[in-house]
Amino acid sequence: MTTPSALHRPTGVPPGRRLAARLVLMAAFALSLLPPRRIRTVLCLVRRGAEPASAARARSAREAVCAVSLFCAGPRGCLPRSLATALLCRLRGTWPTWCTGVRVVPPFTAHAWVEIDGHPVDEGVPDDYFSRLITVPPQERAAP
């Protein structure tokens, strides 16, 4: 038996951001087909030169992605949703920490998300709910 649930689909996302979200979703779905090692390599290349994203910027990107994709708004869309969120942030010159890992408490569940300063963005869980296996944080700036 399944549990009925309603997906939250953000409204009020401007048309320009919706279009940008649709474009990065194509890349995110393609990336989600790659092995984790390759995803990490691609994201490490893409993040170059980006400033660390703010929580507001990451939340705005996540909302735009969920507004244009019902799959990404759902529970099984975490990988393309997190990838698209990170890529959409990158289009605006910033980068959140992209993470993938597992739930700490049973049952075992894999998950992907973005976070800012160790706090998952709009995941509705405590900061220590997931154990991180792969992270791609913003690139640290070299000291002058």
Side-chain angles (χ1 to χ4, degrees):
M1 180 169 196
T2 60
T3 305
S5 63
L7 298 177
H8 170 68
R9 198 157 192 195
T11 57
V13 178
R17 252 191 318 155
R18 292 174 78 86
L19 178 61
R22 286 184 196 280
L23 293 174
V24 297
L25 268 170
M26 289 188 289
F29 278 113
L31 266 175
S32 70
L33 300 174
L34 298 176
R37 179 180 85 245
R38 298 252 192 251
I39 292 173
R40 184 170 169 259
T41 300
V42 170
L43 293 182
C44 284
L45 291 172
V46 170
R47 74 176 176 178
R48 288 184 181 175
E51 296 292 324
S54 67
R57 176 69 51 97
R59 187 172 294 110
S60 172
R62 188 181 191 280
E63 286 178 357
V65 169
C66 291
V68 299
S69 171
L70 193 56
F71 178 76
C72 286
R76 293 192 173 169
C78 66
L79 182 56
R81 175 178 61 234
S82 66
L83 291 167
T85 299
L87 293 173
L88 192 53
C89 283
R90 184 61 187 100
L91 279 181
R92 299 172 92 192
T94 63
W95 187 261
T97 298
W98 178 83
C99 304
T100 186
V102 295
R103 188 164 40 178
V104 176
V105 295
F108 170 83
T109 303
H111 191 57
W113 66 98
V114 296
E115 63 184 28
I116 303 296
D117 298 326
H119 306 290
V121 175
D122 284 354
E123 292 294 330
V125 297
D127 296 346
D128 60 351
Y129 191 75
F130 297 109
S131 177
R132 292 159 191 82
L133 299 176
I134 301 173
T135 62
V136 181
Q139 198 169 25
E140 293 187 23
R141 298 282 183 191

